[in-house]
Amino acid sequence: MFTTLKVRWQDMRTIARLCTAAENIARAEPGSEHLVLASLELPDGSSREVFARLGLSREAFAEAIQAQFTDALGSVGLNVPPSEPEVANSAKARGMLYRAAPSGQALIQRLVHMPRRQARQPLAGADILLAVAEEQFSIAARAFARLGIRREQLAAAATQALEGQPA
């Protein structure tokens, strides 16, 4: 019982760290793509391991995200210079309840309710990527697809990292 409580406590700390990092990356309400980038900063290193297994870099994933926004804006006739700095969202107020974009909310809910591979192991960065592998139409899912990574590949790499299998 004590071990289960300890793992739950660690999970809450991991989710809090993940959400804080995602907010800093998004500068607004984070989506699942920001949570993927934030997972790369978690100390367990399993997300970085998954990216390495897939031959991806953080920069390539971030560029794939940005390319989607550029393409979407371009499709309606708007061109955004690539060097234009991001503008911080002034609507974000400290001390308010955590707010995420719908894809971010859905991802956090899946993490909380996902069947645990082993109840005694705390949440890891690869768990976030495994949950993202379930997404079909999110920006994160499309960014992986843009990089040539199928959902099955992402899930397999995340599972291997979680199980400690060699690359």
Side-chain angles (χ1 to χ4, degrees), residues 30-42:
S32 62
E33 69 276 16
H34 302 109
L35 292 165
V36 168
L37 290 171
S39 76
L40 296 168
E41 298 175 14
L42 291 177

Side-chain angles (χ1 to χ4, degrees), residues 22-56:
E23 281 181 333
N24 290 334
I25 293 167
R27 300 181 186 186
E29 295 178 355
S32 62
E33 69 276 16
H34 302 109
L35 292 165
V36 168
L37 290 171
S39 76
L40 296 168
E41 298 175 14
L42 291 177
D44 73 277
S46 60
S47 281
R48 291 186 298 276
E49 182 181 334
V50 171
F51 266 51
R53 288 173 184 261
L54 296 171
L56 297 177

Side-chain angles (χ1 to χ4, degrees), residues 11-33:
D11 288 353
M12 289 188 312
R13 291 181 57 190
T14 299
I15 289 173
R17 178 181 280 176
L18 182 72
C19 290
T20 300
E23 281 181 333
N24 290 334
I25 293 167
R27 300 181 186 186
E29 295 178 355
S32 62
E33 69 276 16

Side-chain angles (χ1 to χ4, degrees), residues 69-85:
F69 289 112
T70 302
D71 291 349
L73 291 172
S75 71
V76 293
L78 298 174
N79 290 323
V80 177
S83 61
E84 185 170 314

Side-chain angles (χ1 to χ4, degrees), residues 28-131:
E29 295 178 355
S32 62
E33 69 276 16
H34 302 109
L35 292 165
V36 168
L37 290 171
S39 76
L40 296 168
E41 298 175 14
L42 291 177
D44 73 277
S46 60
S47 281
R48 291 186 298 276
E49 182 181 334
V50 171
F51 266 51
R53 288 173 184 261
L54 296 171
L56 297 177
S57 68
R58 182 190 195 286
E59 293 75 23
F61 186 75
E63 288 173 12
I65 293 168
Q66 185 60 43
Q68 290 182 62
F69 289 112
T70 302
D71 291 349
L73 291 172
S75 71
V76 293
L78 298 174
N79 290 323
V80 177
S83 61
E84 185 170 314
E86 294 182 35
V87 177
N89 185 345
S90 61
K92 180 181 168 187
R94 293 282 174 205
M96 293 180 62
L97 291 175
Y98 185 75
R99 298 184 60 101
S103 66
Q105 292 175 20
L107 178 59
I108 295 295
Q109 288 298 317
R110 278 199 310 280
L111 287 173
V112 170
H113 298 293
M114 98 184 327
R116 303 307 302 251
R117 54 197 147 78
Q118 291 183 3
R120 294 177 180 240
Q121 290 188 330
L123 185 67
D127 286 313
I128 287 101
L129 298 177
L130 189 58

